[in-house]
Every structure is written in C-alpha cells, then in structure tokens.
Amino acid sequence: IVSLRGLRKSYGVGTPVETEVLHGIDIELAEGEFCALIGPSGSGKSTLLNLIGLLERPTSGDLAIAGSETAGLKEQALTVLRGRHIGFVFQFHHLLPAFTALENVMMPSIIEQGVATADAEAISRDLLLRVGLKGHEHKKANQLSGGQQQRVAIARALSRSPRLILADEPTGNLDTHTADDIFALLREFNRERGSACLIVTHDPRLAARCDRRIELVDGRVAHVSSA
Amino acid sequence: IVSLRGLRKSYGVGTPVETEVLHGIDIELAEGEFCALIGPSGSGKSTLLNLIGLLERPTSGDLAIAGSETAGLKEQALTVLRGRHIGFVFQFHHLLPAFTALENVMMPSIIEQGVATADAEAISRDLLLRVGLKGHEHKKANQLSGGQQQRVAIARALSRSPRLILADEPTGNLDTHTADDIFALLREFNRERGSACLIVTHDPRLAARCDRRIELVDGRVAHVSSA
Ligand SMILES: Nc1ncnc2c1ncn2[C@@H]1O[C@H](COP(=O)(O)OP(=O)(O)OP(=O)(O)O)[C@@H](O)[C@H]1O
Ligand SMILES: Nc1ncnc2c1ncn2[C@@H]1O[C@H](COP(=O)(O)OP(=O)(O)OP(=O)(O)O)[C@@H](O)[C@H]1O
Ligand SMILES: [Mg+2]
Ligand SMILES: [Mg+2]
C-alpha cells in the first residue's frame, strides 16, 4: 500500500540553514499490515508520516501510495488520493475548536460528499462510542480534555474506513486502560476491514503488539523487527 | 506550598449545560514535595492543575498558594503570585510559534524584567542544553518536533527556578530515554532548589518514582499513595 525508495526531506532548501532530516528512506508497507514506527524524539517520525500522508512533498526519492507514483502528481491529484485512501491522526490533534466532537468526526465525509448524511452521522456516533466518548458528542472540541481531543481525532481518521491509517502518537495523552482500548480499536479496523496501519508510538508495550517495528534514528531506518 | 479545601469547578455555570467536573477536592502539597497526579483521561487533572496554577478560578472552595488565600484576590494580584512562584508546563505546550526556542525559554524573564538580560540568556541556554536541545536554540518553535516543543516548554517553566512546578503530561511525546532525562532534571530541581513538583502523568513508571501519587477519578480524589 506504501512504497518509499530513497526518500529524502530537507527543510530550508536553498537557504543558509538548509537541513536534511530524512536521509534516504526505503520502506515497503504491505496491504493490511500493522506496523509501529519508533525512535527518539526529533528522529524524523512525524516528517516521515507527513510525507506518506501526502501532506508534504519529499525533496527527492520515490513515494507510491496504493500503486500510484506521487512524484509527478499535482496538488489536486494528491488531495484526491489522500481523501480516498488515507486517515491521519496528527500528533497535536488539529481539531476544529469551535466545532463539536461529532462535527469534527463527520468533517471528512461532509467535505467529500458536500453534505452531512444520516449514514455519516450514524458511523460517527458509533466511532465516538467506541473511543469512549458517548455523551460528549455535542461538546465543542475546545471543551474537551487533551486525551478526549486525541480520541476525537482518532475517530475522525477512522470515519471513512481508509485503506491506510497513519497515526502520529495517538495514545500519548491517554491513560494505560484507554490507550489499550484505542489500540484494540485500531487492531479491529486492521483485521476486519483490512486497513493498513502505521502507528508512531513511544510506548514500547504497544509497539511490541504490532506485526512489525521500524526504528528511525537520526533520519535513517536503523532497525526493522518482526513479531 | 499548595492547600486546597473543598475545591469545586463547574463549566457552563448558569447555562443549561452546567457541568461540575471537580467535586470537592482536598489536597495539601508540602514545600519541596514531588508528587504525581494520575487518573483516567477526562477525570479532571488538567482542570485541577489550571486551578492550582491560578489560570482559572474555582467555582467554590478555598485555594492557598505559598500561604496566600486566593479567593479574594483580584486578577492583578493573582498574576503577580503566579509569576513569582509558579512554573507551568501545558499539556499542549503553548509555545509562541514564530519565536525561537531560546526566545520562548527567555520569555518569562523578559516579561518580568522588561528586557532580555545576559543572565537570563545564559540560564536559558543551559536549560536547553539540559533538555537535550543544544543546537536547536535558534529554530522557531513551529520548526521543532512534537517532543522538542514539549522540552522547550519544560525549559521555559524551569527558567525562573519557581517554588512550584506544575507539569501537565510533560513526557507524553517523548521516547523512554528522553522522558527519563526530563524526569531526572525535574528531580534535580526538586532536590537542589527545593522546587515542589506536581506532575500529571499517564506513565506508571514515572508515577512510581515520585514521593506521592494522588489519583483522580471522575473529579474526586480516589486514592493517595506514598512511596
Ligand atoms: N470548557 C469546558 N466545558 C465543558 N466541559 C469541559 C470544559 N473543559 C473541560 N471539560 C470537561 O472536564 C472534564 C475534565 O477535563 P480535564 O481536561 O481536566 O481532564 P484530564 O484529566 O486532564 O484528561 P486527559 O488525561 O485526557 O488530559 C472532561 O470530561 C472535559 O470534557
Ligand atoms: N520546518 C522545519 N524547519 C527545520 N527543521 C525542522 C522543521 N520541521 C522539523 N524539523 C526538524 O526535523 C527533525 C525531525 O522532526 P520530526 O517532527 O519528524 O521528529 P519526530 O521524530 O516526530 O519527533 P517527536 O518524537 O519529538 O515528535 C527535528 O530535529 C526537527 O527539529
Ligand atoms: Mg513527532
Ligand atoms: Mg489533561
């Protein structure tokens, strides 16, 4: 579902402070694979996830999503590809603060279909139930706790049953019990709907429960281990 | 250093959606104590920390900081009390994105003294070194990774050597090794400078290494345990 070959990313290209943060990444993520991305703070995990999620462009190298090579695609085509296949959970959730939890979870569907449908609402309510937020649907995002916001972001990423779920530290603000519930939900989407998952996590217990672990150190793949 | 008696907090007071989230909290935090605040997502930990940090007012009950009863104080007096005694690390760092790491760490001192001093800069540079961010001082906050931003927020909270450090999930975005370094830094401030610490954490390993653990469940103190 994801193929990276020789992927590089630099910031400040063409300025005196140009810095390369990813130094040639080769990764293949199979359809339906459940994989952890681990590594020290600052090693490049969020940067890598943003590239795979088509939120930023690589500086060089090849990136294919669901069989489509992305290098030659224009912004419009990337947006379509992203909307069709990818669900993204950001490290700092990026919810719309003035909208409710339910509206935030329904947003990808509203954007894609142009309207809020009854089906989309039913799916969204069910997801909010499954992340433990029943009763909080009508709270505005800025009235929720940190971990509740993170869970709304997770529900939003799952709302279109994407082929590829990219989650950037989805349990960092959750207690152990709630984190386990969230992990089980992602596993269920993986096993029952075939969604591939790439989960950035600092929690070694959760990483151990994935099918494979890719370790990033200083912008390079340092180690890959399978269960 | 902190005394809470019968503390209550409600949101939406006077509206149809009025909700009490803290239901009468009694806590005494001794001078120089190193204490963990644990509990499920949504249980009220950030709300409690915001009240102790004088960022919000309780709905009822008594709160004293460094011997001063806060109930009768005006905003101006609370701001002075907070600036003098409290260092706060927010759950979602709240750095100034357009300012550099160094400027963010120096900000409390610049605000208090009206100017940037050489002493403040030296202290801030040393703190950035000690949270592992040497070499990143001149990056803007929005050019840093999630865990790097969290560490800048920690350095900022320590920059005035406050009598009371309030840290809301300071290691949620850090790998285990970096989290241990940060915890050791807080312990050092506690032991060598006598700073009291109240640390909200979801990490049971770190909570176990504090002098005392206060557990919040559904807005009440459910359990207190000492080492
Ligand atoms: N402005 C608000 N209006 C209504 N309810 C609120 C508001 N702010 C917080 N709450 C509610 O108060 C409760 C406690 O929130 P708080 O942020 O203190 O939780 P927490 O223990 O820090 O959780 P987490 O571990 O997820 O960060 C939550 O159920 C939340 O939805
Ligand atoms: N816009 C930018 N300009 C310059 N450097 C940047 C920029 N964005 C990120 N970086 C640098 O790229 C490196 C990798 O950042 P990234 O956010 O991918 O790390 P990470 O592995 O996700 O870290 P964490 O675990 O702390 O979230 C960091 O050293 C960071 O300072
Ligand atoms: Mg990151
Ligand atoms: Mg919180």
Side-chain angles (χ1 to χ4, degrees), chain A residues 116-202:
Chain A
T117 67
D119 277 355
E121 177 166 338
I123 289 169
S124 301
R125 283 184 181 280
D126 179 60
L127 279 166
L128 282 168
L129 170 77
R130 293 167 76 183
V131 298
L133 292 179
K134 186 167 171 60
H136 295 272
E137 297 89 345
H138 300 298
K139 277 185 163 164
K140 301 237 188 305
N142 62 10
Q143 294 173 326
L144 297 172
S145 79
Q148 290 169 341
Q149 291 171 330
Q150 201 167 29
R151 286 182 272 162
V152 172
I154 291 160
R156 179 178 64 182
L158 300 181
S159 59
R160 312 283 296 145
S161 272
R163 276 171 76 181
L164 174 62
I165 297 166
L166 301 173
D168 199 345
E169 303 195 33
T171 64
N173 286 291
L174 301 176
D175 54 280
T176 310
H177 179 84
T178 311
D180 286 349
D181 289 348
I182 292 304
F183 191 81
L185 177 63
L186 292 171
R187 257 302 186 191
E188 186 182 317
F189 263 70
N190 171 248
R191 290 187 172 136
E192 296 183 12
R193 306 181 196 212
S195 303
C197 288
L198 183 61
I199 305 173
V200 173
T201 181
H202 283 307

Coordinates of all heavy atoms in Angstrom, one line a residue, chain A residues 116-202:
Chain A
A116 N -23.9 16.7 5.0 CA -23.9 15.8 6.2 C -25.0 14.8 5.9 O -26.2 15.1 5.8 CB -24.2 16.5 7.5
T117 N -24.7 13.5 5.9 CA -25.7 12.4 5.6 C -26.0 11.7 6.9 O -25.2 11.7 7.9 CB -25.2 11.4 4.6 OG1 -24.1 10.7 5.2 CG2 -24.7 12.1 3.3
A118 N -27.2 11.0 6.9 CA -27.6 10.3 8.1 C -26.6 9.1 8.3 O -26.3 8.8 9.4 CB -29.0 9.7 7.9
D119 N -26.1 8.5 7.2 CA -25.2 7.4 7.4 C -23.9 7.9 8.0 O -23.4 7.2 9.0 CB -24.8 6.8 6.0 CG -25.8 5.8 5.5 OD1 -26.8 5.5 6.2 OD2 -25.7 5.4 4.3
A120 N -23.4 9.0 7.6 CA -22.1 9.5 8.1 C -22.3 9.8 9.6 O -21.4 9.6 10.4 CB -21.7 10.8 7.4
E121 N -23.5 10.3 10.0 CA -23.7 10.7 11.4 C -23.8 9.4 12.2 O -23.2 9.3 13.3 CB -25.0 11.5 11.5 CG -25.3 11.7 13.0 CD -26.4 12.8 13.2 OE1 -26.6 13.6 12.3 OE2 -27.0 12.8 14.3
A122 N -24.4 8.4 11.7 CA -24.5 7.1 12.4 C -23.1 6.5 12.6 O -22.8 6.0 13.7 CB -25.4 6.1 11.7
I123 N -22.3 6.5 11.6 CA -21.0 5.9 11.7 C -20.2 6.8 12.7 O -19.4 6.2 13.5 CB -20.3 6.0 10.3 CG1 -20.9 4.9 9.4 CG2 -18.8 5.8 10.4 CD1 -20.5 5.0 7.9
S124 N -20.3 8.1 12.6 CA -19.5 8.9 13.5 C -19.9 8.8 15.0 O -19.1 8.7 15.9 CB -19.7 10.4 13.1 OG -19.2 10.6 11.8
R125 N -21.2 8.6 15.2 CA -21.7 8.4 16.6 C -21.2 7.1 17.1 O -20.8 7.0 18.3 CB -23.2 8.4 16.7 CG -23.9 9.8 16.6 CD -25.4 9.7 16.7 NE -25.9 11.1 16.6 CZ -26.0 11.9 17.6 NH1 -25.5 11.6 18.8 NH2 -26.5 13.1 17.5
D126 N -21.2 6.1 16.3 CA -20.7 4.8 16.7 C -19.2 4.8 17.0 O -18.7 4.3 18.0 CB -20.9 3.7 15.6 CG -20.4 2.4 16.0 OD1 -20.9 1.8 17.0 OD2 -19.5 1.8 15.3
L127 N -18.4 5.6 16.2 CA -17.0 5.7 16.5 C -16.7 6.4 17.8 O -15.8 6.0 18.6 CB -16.3 6.4 15.3 CG -16.0 5.4 14.1 CD1 -15.6 6.3 12.9 CD2 -14.9 4.5 14.5
L128 N -17.5 7.5 18.0 CA -17.3 8.2 19.3 C -17.6 7.3 20.5 O -17.0 7.3 21.5 CB -18.2 9.5 19.3 CG -17.6 10.6 18.5 CD1 -18.6 11.7 18.3 CD2 -16.4 11.2 19.2
L129 N -18.6 6.4 20.3 CA -18.9 5.5 21.4 C -17.7 4.5 21.6 O -17.3 4.3 22.7 CB -20.2 4.6 21.0 CG -20.5 3.4 21.8 CD1 -21.2 3.8 23.1 CD2 -21.4 2.4 21.0
R130 N -17.1 4.1 20.5 CA -16.1 3.1 20.6 C -14.8 3.7 21.1 O -13.9 2.9 21.6 CB -15.9 2.4 19.3 CG -17.1 1.6 19.0 CD -17.2 1.1 17.5 NE -16.3 0.0 17.4 CZ -16.0 -0.6 16.2 NH1 -16.6 -0.1 15.1 NH2 -15.2 -1.6 16.1
V131 N -14.6 5.0 21.0 CA -13.4 5.6 21.7 C -13.7 6.1 23.1 O -12.9 6.8 23.7 CB -12.8 6.7 20.8 CG1 -12.3 6.2 19.5 CG2 -13.7 7.9 20.6
G132 N -14.9 5.7 23.6 CA -15.2 6.0 24.9 C -15.8 7.4 25.2 O -15.8 8.0 26.3
L133 N -16.3 8.1 24.1 CA -16.8 9.4 24.2 C -18.3 9.6 24.1 O -18.8 10.7 23.7 CB -16.1 10.3 23.2 CG -14.6 10.5 23.5 CD1 -13.9 11.4 22.5 CD2 -14.4 11.1 24.9
K134 N -19.0 8.5 24.3 CA -20.5 8.6 24.3 C -20.9 9.7 25.4 O -20.4 9.7 26.5 CB -21.1 7.3 24.7 CG -22.7 7.3 24.5 CD -23.2 5.9 24.6 CE -24.7 5.9 24.7 NZ -25.4 6.6 23.5
G135 N -21.8 10.6 25.0 CA -22.2 11.6 25.9 C -21.4 12.9 25.7 O -21.8 14.0 26.2
H136 N -20.3 12.9 25.0 CA -19.5 14.1 24.7 C -19.7 14.6 23.3 O -19.0 15.5 22.9 CB -18.1 13.8 25.0 CG -17.7 13.5 26.4 ND1 -17.5 14.4 27.4 CD2 -17.7 12.3 27.0 CE1 -17.2 13.8 28.5 NE2 -17.4 12.5 28.4
E137 N -20.6 14.0 22.5 CA -20.7 14.3 21.1 C -20.9 15.8 20.8 O -20.5 16.3 19.8 CB -21.9 13.6 20.4 CG -21.7 12.0 20.4 CD -22.3 11.4 21.7 OE1 -22.6 12.2 22.6 OE2 -22.5 10.2 21.7
H138 N -21.7 16.5 21.7 CA -22.1 17.8 21.4 C -21.2 18.9 22.1 O -21.5 20.1 22.1 CB -23.6 18.0 21.7 CG -24.4 17.1 20.9 ND1 -24.4 17.2 19.5 CD2 -25.1 16.0 21.3 CE1 -25.2 16.2 19.1 NE2 -25.6 15.5 20.1
K139 N -20.1 18.4 22.7 CA -19.2 19.4 23.3 C -18.3 19.9 22.2 O -17.9 19.2 21.3 CB -18.3 18.7 24.3 CG -18.9 18.5 25.7 CD -17.9 17.9 26.6 CE -18.3 18.2 28.1 NZ -17.6 17.3 29.0
K140 N -18.0 21.2 22.3 CA -17.0 21.8 21.3 C -15.7 21.2 21.6 O -15.3 20.8 22.7 CB -17.0 23.3 21.5 CG -18.3 24.0 21.2 CD -18.3 25.0 20.1 CE -19.6 25.8 20.0 NZ -20.7 24.9 19.9
A141 N -14.9 21.1 20.5 CA -13.5 20.5 20.7 C -12.7 21.2 21.8 O -11.9 20.5 22.5 CB -12.8 20.5 19.4
N142 N -12.9 22.5 21.9 CA -12.1 23.2 22.9 C -12.6 23.1 24.4 O -12.2 23.7 25.3 CB -11.8 24.7 22.6 CG -13.1 25.4 22.5 OD1 -14.2 24.9 22.9 ND2 -13.1 26.6 22.0
Q143 N -13.7 22.2 24.5 CA -14.2 22.0 25.8 C -13.9 20.5 26.3 O -14.5 20.0 27.2 CB -15.8 22.1 25.8 CG -16.2 23.5 25.6 CD -17.7 23.6 25.4 OE1 -18.4 22.7 24.9 NE2 -18.3 24.7 25.9
L144 N -13.0 19.9 25.5 CA -12.6 18.5 25.8 C -11.3 18.4 26.4 O -10.4 19.3 26.2 CB -12.7 17.7 24.5 CG -14.0 17.5 23.8 CD1 -13.8 16.9 22.5 CD2 -15.0 16.8 24.7
S145 N -11.0 17.4 27.2 CA -9.7 17.2 27.8 C -8.7 16.8 26.7 O -9.1 16.4 25.6 CB -9.7 16.1 28.8 OG -9.7 14.8 28.2
G146 N -7.4 16.8 27.0 CA -6.4 16.5 26.0 C -6.6 15.1 25.4 O -6.5 14.9 24.2
G147 N -6.8 14.2 26.3 CA -7.0 12.8 25.8 C -8.3 12.6 25.0 O -8.4 11.8 24.1
Q148 N -9.3 13.4 25.4 CA -10.6 13.3 24.7 C -10.4 13.9 23.3 O -11.0 13.3 22.3 CB -11.7 14.1 25.5 CG -12.1 13.4 26.8 CD -12.9 14.2 27.7 OE1 -13.0 15.5 27.5 NE2 -13.7 13.6 28.6
Q149 N -9.7 15.0 23.2 CA -9.4 15.6 21.9 C -8.7 14.6 21.0 O -9.0 14.4 19.8 CB -8.6 16.9 22.0 CG -9.4 18.0 22.6 CD -8.5 19.2 23.0 OE1 -7.3 19.1 23.3 NE2 -9.1 20.4 22.9
Q150 N -7.7 13.9 21.6 CA -6.9 12.9 20.8 C -7.8 11.8 20.3 O -7.7 11.3 19.2 CB -5.8 12.4 21.7 CG -4.7 11.7 21.0 CD -3.5 11.5 21.9 OE1 -3.6 11.2 23.1 NE2 -2.3 11.5 21.3
R151 N -8.8 11.4 21.1 CA -9.7 10.3 20.7 C -10.7 10.8 19.6 O -11.1 10.0 18.8 CB -10.4 9.8 22.0 CG -9.5 8.9 22.8 CD -10.3 8.4 24.0 NE -10.3 9.3 25.1 CZ -11.1 9.2 26.2 NH1 -12.0 8.2 26.2 NH2 -11.1 10.0 27.2
V152 N -11.1 12.0 19.7 CA -11.9 12.5 18.6 C -11.1 12.5 17.3 O -11.7 12.1 16.2 CB -12.4 14.0 18.9 CG1 -13.1 14.6 17.7 CG2 -13.3 14.0 20.1
A153 N -9.9 12.9 17.4 CA -9.0 12.9 16.2 C -8.9 11.4 15.6 O -8.8 11.2 14.4 CB -7.6 13.4 16.5
I154 N -8.8 10.5 16.5 CA -8.7 9.1 16.1 C -10.0 8.6 15.4 O -10.0 8.0 14.3 CB -8.4 8.2 17.3 CG1 -7.0 8.4 17.7 CG2 -8.6 6.7 16.9 CD1 -6.7 8.0 19.1
A155 N -11.1 9.0 16.0 CA -12.4 8.6 15.4 C -12.6 9.3 14.0 O -13.1 8.7 13.1 CB -13.6 9.1 16.3
R156 N -12.1 10.5 13.9 CA -12.2 11.2 12.6 C -11.4 10.5 11.6 O -11.8 10.3 10.4 CB -11.7 12.6 12.8 CG -11.7 13.4 11.5 CD -11.2 14.9 11.7 NE -9.8 14.9 12.1 CZ -9.2 16.0 12.4 NH1 -9.8 17.2 12.3 NH2 -7.9 16.0 12.8
A157 N -10.2 10.0 11.9 CA -9.3 9.3 11.0 C -10.0 8.0 10.5 O -9.7 7.6 9.4 CB -8.0 9.1 11.6
L158 N -10.8 7.4 11.3 CA -11.4 6.1 11.0 C -12.7 6.2 10.3 O -13.2 5.2 9.7 CB -11.6 5.2 12.3 CG -10.3 4.9 13.1 CD1 -10.7 4.1 14.3 CD2 -9.3 4.2 12.3
S159 N -13.2 7.4 10.2 CA -14.6 7.6 9.8 C -14.9 7.2 8.3 O -16.0 6.9 8.0 CB -15.1 9.0 10.1 OG -14.3 9.9 9.3
R160 N -13.9 7.2 7.5 CA -14.1 6.8 6.1 C -13.6 5.4 5.8 O -13.4 5.0 4.7 CB -13.4 7.8 5.2 CG -13.7 9.2 5.5 CD -15.0 9.7 5.0 NE -15.2 9.6 3.6 CZ -16.3 9.3 3.0 NH1 -17.4 9.0 3.7 NH2 -16.3 9.2 1.6
S161 N -13.3 4.6 6.9 CA -12.7 3.2 6.7 C -11.5 3.3 5.7 O -11.6 2.6 4.7 CB -13.7 2.2 6.3 OG -14.4 1.7 7.4
P162 N -10.5 4.1 6.0 CA -9.5 4.2 4.9 C -8.6 2.9 4.8 O -8.5 2.1 5.7 CB -8.6 5.4 5.5 CG -8.8 5.3 7.0 CD -10.2 4.8 7.2
R163 N -8.0 2.8 3.6 CA -7.1 1.6 3.4 C -5.8 1.8 4.2 O -5.2 0.8 4.5 CB -6.8 1.6 1.9 CG -7.8 0.8 1.1 CD -7.5 0.9 -0.4 NE -6.4 0.1 -0.8 CZ -5.9 0.0 -2.1 NH1 -6.4 0.8 -3.0 NH2 -4.9 -0.8 -2.4
L164 N -5.5 3.0 4.5 CA -4.2 3.3 5.2 C -4.5 4.3 6.3 O -5.0 5.4 6.1 CB -3.2 3.9 4.2 CG -1.9 4.4 4.8 CD1 -1.1 3.2 5.5 CD2 -1.0 5.0 3.7
I165 N -4.2 3.8 7.6 CA -4.3 4.7 8.7 C -2.9 5.1 9.2 O -2.1 4.3 9.4 CB -5.0 3.9 9.9 CG1 -6.5 3.6 9.5 CG2 -5.1 4.8 11.2 CD1 -7.1 2.5 10.4
L166 N -2.7 6.4 9.3 CA -1.4 7.0 9.7 C -1.7 7.7 11.1 O -2.4 8.6 11.1 CB -0.8 7.9 8.7 CG -0.6 7.3 7.3 CD1 -0.1 8.4 6.4 CD2 0.5 6.2 7.4
A167 N -1.1 7.2 12.1 CA -1.4 7.7 13.5 C -0.1 8.2 14.1 O 0.8 7.4 14.4 CB -2.1 6.7 14.3
D168 N 0.0 9.5 14.4 CA 1.2 10.0 15.0 C 1.0 10.2 16.5 O 0.5 11.1 17.0 CB 1.5 11.4 14.4 CG 2.9 11.9 14.6 OD1 3.6 11.3 15.4 OD2 3.4 12.8 13.9
E169 N 1.5 9.2 17.2 CA 1.5 9.2 18.7 C 0.0 9.3 19.2 O -0.3 10.2 20.0 CB 2.4 10.2 19.3 CG 3.8 10.0 18.8 CD 4.9 10.7 19.6 OE1 4.7 10.9 20.8 OE2 5.9 11.2 19.0
P170 N -0.9 8.4 18.8 CA -2.3 8.5 19.1 C -2.6 8.3 20.6 O -3.7 8.6 21.0 CB -3.0 7.4 18.2 CG -1.9 6.4 18.0 CD -0.6 7.2 18.0
T171 N -1.7 7.7 21.4 CA -2.0 7.4 22.8 C -1.2 8.2 23.8 O -1.3 7.9 25.0 CB -1.9 5.9 23.1 OG1 -0.5 5.5 22.9 CG2 -2.7 5.1 22.1
G172 N -0.4 9.2 23.3 CA 0.5 9.9 24.2 C -0.2 10.6 25.3 O 0.4 10.9 26.4
N173 N -1.5 11.0 25.1 CA -2.2 11.7 26.2 C -3.3 10.8 26.9 O -4.2 11.3 27.4 CB -2.9 12.9 25.6 CG -1.9 14.0 25.3 OD1 -1.3 14.6 26.2 ND2 -1.7 14.2 24.0
L174 N -3.1 9.5 26.8 CA -4.1 8.6 27.3 C -3.6 7.7 28.4 O -2.4 7.3 28.4 CB -4.7 7.7 26.2 CG -5.3 8.4 25.0 CD1 -5.8 7.4 24.0 CD2 -6.5 9.2 25.5
D175 N -4.4 7.5 29.5 CA -4.0 6.5 30.5 C -3.9 5.1 29.9 O -4.5 4.9 28.8 CB -5.1 6.5 31.6 CG -6.5 6.3 31.1 OD1 -7.1 7.2 30.6 OD2 -6.9 5.1 31.2
T176 N -3.3 4.2 30.6 CA -3.0 2.9 30.0 C -4.2 2.2 29.6 O -4.3 1.6 28.5 CB -2.3 2.1 31.1 OG1 -1.2 2.8 31.6 CG2 -1.7 0.8 30.5
H177 N -5.3 2.2 30.4 CA -6.5 1.5 30.1 C -7.1 2.0 28.8 O -7.5 1.3 27.9 CB -7.5 1.6 31.2 CG -8.8 0.9 31.0 ND1 -9.0 -0.4 31.2 CD2 -10.0 1.4 30.5 CE1 -10.2 -0.7 30.9 NE2 -10.8 0.3 30.5
T178 N -7.3 3.3 28.7 CA -7.9 3.9 27.5 C -7.0 3.7 26.3 O -7.5 3.5 25.2 CB -8.1 5.5 27.7 OG1 -8.8 5.7 29.0 CG2 -8.9 6.1 26.6
A179 N -5.7 3.8 26.5 CA -4.7 3.5 25.4 C -4.9 2.1 24.8 O -4.9 1.9 23.6 CB -3.3 3.7 25.8
D180 N -5.1 1.2 25.7 CA -5.3 -0.2 25.3 C -6.6 -0.3 24.5 O -6.7 -1.1 23.5 CB -5.3 -1.2 26.5 CG -3.9 -1.4 27.0 OD1 -2.9 -1.0 26.4 OD2 -3.8 -2.0 28.2
D181 N -7.7 0.4 24.9 CA -8.9 0.3 24.2 C -8.7 0.9 22.7 O -9.3 0.3 21.8 CB -10.0 1.2 24.9 CG -10.5 0.6 26.2 OD1 -10.2 -0.6 26.4 OD2 -11.1 1.3 26.9
I182 N -8.0 2.0 22.6 CA -7.8 2.6 21.3 C -7.0 1.7 20.5 O -7.2 1.5 19.3 CB -7.0 4.0 21.5 CG1 -7.9 5.0 22.2 CG2 -6.5 4.5 20.2 CD1 -9.2 5.2 21.5
F183 N -5.9 1.1 21.0 CA -5.1 0.1 20.3 C -6.0 -1.0 19.7 O -5.8 -1.4 18.6 CB -4.0 -0.3 21.1 CG -2.9 -1.1 20.4 CD1 -1.9 -0.4 19.7 CD2 -2.9 -2.5 20.4 CE1 -0.9 -1.1 19.0 CE2 -1.9 -3.2 19.7 CZ -0.9 -2.5 19.0
A184 N -6.8 -1.5 20.6 CA -7.7 -2.6 20.2 C -8.6 -2.2 19.1 O -8.9 -3.0 18.1 CB -8.5 -3.1 21.4
L185 N -9.1 -1.0 19.1 CA -10.0 -0.5 18.0 C -9.2 -0.4 16.7 O -9.7 -0.8 15.6 CB -10.5 0.9 18.4 CG -11.4 1.6 17.3 CD1 -12.6 0.9 17.1 CD2 -11.7 3.1 17.8
L186 N -8.0 0.1 16.7 CA -7.2 0.1 15.5 C -6.9 -1.3 15.0 O -7.0 -1.6 13.8 CB -5.8 0.8 15.8 CG -5.9 2.3 16.1 CD1 -4.6 2.9 16.6 CD2 -6.4 3.1 14.9
R187 N -6.6 -2.2 15.9 CA -6.4 -3.6 15.5 C -7.6 -4.2 14.8 O -7.6 -4.9 13.9 CB -6.1 -4.5 16.8 CG -4.7 -4.8 17.0 CD -4.1 -5.6 15.8 NE -2.7 -6.1 16.1 CZ -2.0 -6.6 15.1 NH1 -2.4 -6.7 13.9 NH2 -0.7 -7.0 15.4
E188 N -8.8 -3.8 15.4 CA -10.1 -4.3 14.8 C -10.3 -3.8 13.4 O -10.6 -4.6 12.5 CB -11.2 -3.9 15.7 CG -12.5 -4.5 15.3 CD -13.6 -4.0 16.3 OE1 -13.4 -4.0 17.5 OE2 -14.7 -3.6 15.7
F189 N -10.0 -2.5 13.2 CA -10.1 -2.0 11.8 C -9.2 -2.7 10.9 O -9.4 -2.9 9.7 CB -9.8 -0.5 11.8 CG -11.1 0.4 11.9 CD1 -11.8 0.4 13.0 CD2 -11.5 1.1 10.8 CE1 -13.0 1.2 13.1 CE2 -12.6 1.9 10.8 CZ -13.4 1.9 12.0
N190 N -8.0 -3.0 11.4 CA -7.0 -3.7 10.7 C -7.4 -5.1 10.3 O -7.3 -5.5 9.1 CB -5.7 -3.7 11.5 CG -4.6 -4.6 10.9 OD1 -4.2 -5.6 11.4 ND2 -4.1 -4.1 9.7
R191 N -7.9 -5.8 11.2 CA -8.3 -7.2 11.0 C -9.6 -7.4 10.2 O -9.7 -8.2 9.3 CB -8.3 -8.0 12.3 CG -7.0 -8.2 12.9 CD -7.0 -9.1 14.1 NE -5.6 -9.3 14.5 CZ -5.1 -9.3 15.8 NH1 -5.9 -9.0 16.8 NH2 -3.8 -9.5 16.0
E192 N -10.6 -6.6 10.5 CA -11.9 -6.7 9.9 C -12.1 -6.0 8.6 O -12.9 -6.4 7.8 CB -13.0 -6.4 10.9 CG -13.0 -7.3 12.1 CD -14.1 -7.0 13.1 OE1 -15.0 -6.2 12.8 OE2 -14.0 -7.5 14.2
R193 N -11.4 -4.9 8.5 CA -11.6 -4.1 7.2 C -10.3 -4.0 6.4 O -10.3 -3.4 5.3 CB -12.0 -2.6 7.6 CG -13.2 -2.6 8.5 CD -13.6 -1.2 8.9 NE -14.5 -1.3 10.0 CZ -15.5 -0.4 10.2 NH1 -15.7 0.6 9.3 NH2 -16.3 -0.5 11.3
G194 N -9.3 -4.7 6.9 CA -8.0 -4.7 6.1 C -7.3 -3.4 6.0 O -6.5 -3.2 5.1
S195 N -7.6 -2.4 6.9 CA -6.8 -1.2 6.9 C -5.4 -1.4 7.3 O -5.1 -2.0 8.4 CB -7.5 -0.2 7.9 OG -8.8 0.0 7.6
A196 N -4.5 -0.9 6.5 CA -3.1 -0.9 6.9 C -2.9 0.2 7.9 O -3.5 1.2 7.9 CB -2.1 -0.7 5.7
C197 N -2.0 -0.1 9.0 CA -1.8 1.0 10.0 C -0.3 1.2 10.1 O 0.5 0.2 10.3 CB -2.3 0.5 11.3 SG -4.1 0.5 11.5
L198 N 0.1 2.4 10.1 CA 1.5 2.8 10.5 C 1.3 3.7 11.7 O 0.8 4.8 11.6 CB 2.2 3.5 9.4 CG 3.7 3.8 9.7 CD1 4.5 2.6 10.0 CD2 4.3 4.6 8.5
I199 N 1.7 3.3 12.9 CA 1.5 4.0 14.2 C 2.8 4.4 14.8 O 3.6 3.6 15.1 CB 0.8 3.0 15.2 CG1 -0.5 2.5 14.6 CG2 0.5 3.8 16.5 CD1 -1.1 1.4 15.5
V200 N 3.0 5.8 14.8 CA 4.1 6.3 15.6 C 3.8 6.2 17.1 O 2.8 6.6 17.5 CB 4.4 7.8 15.2 CG1 5.5 8.3 16.1 CG2 4.8 7.9 13.8
T201 N 4.7 5.5 17.8 CA 4.4 5.4 19.2 C 5.7 5.4 20.0 O 6.7 4.9 19.6 CB 3.6 4.2 19.6 OG1 3.3 4.2 21.0 CG2 4.3 2.9 19.2
H202 N 5.7 6.0 21.2 CA 6.8 6.0 22.2 C 6.5 4.9 23.2 O 7.4 4.7 24.1 CB 7.0 7.3 22.9 CG 7.6 8.4 22.1 ND1 8.8 8.2 21.4 CD2 7.2 9.6 21.8 CE1 9.1 9.3 20.7 NE2 8.2 10.2 20.9

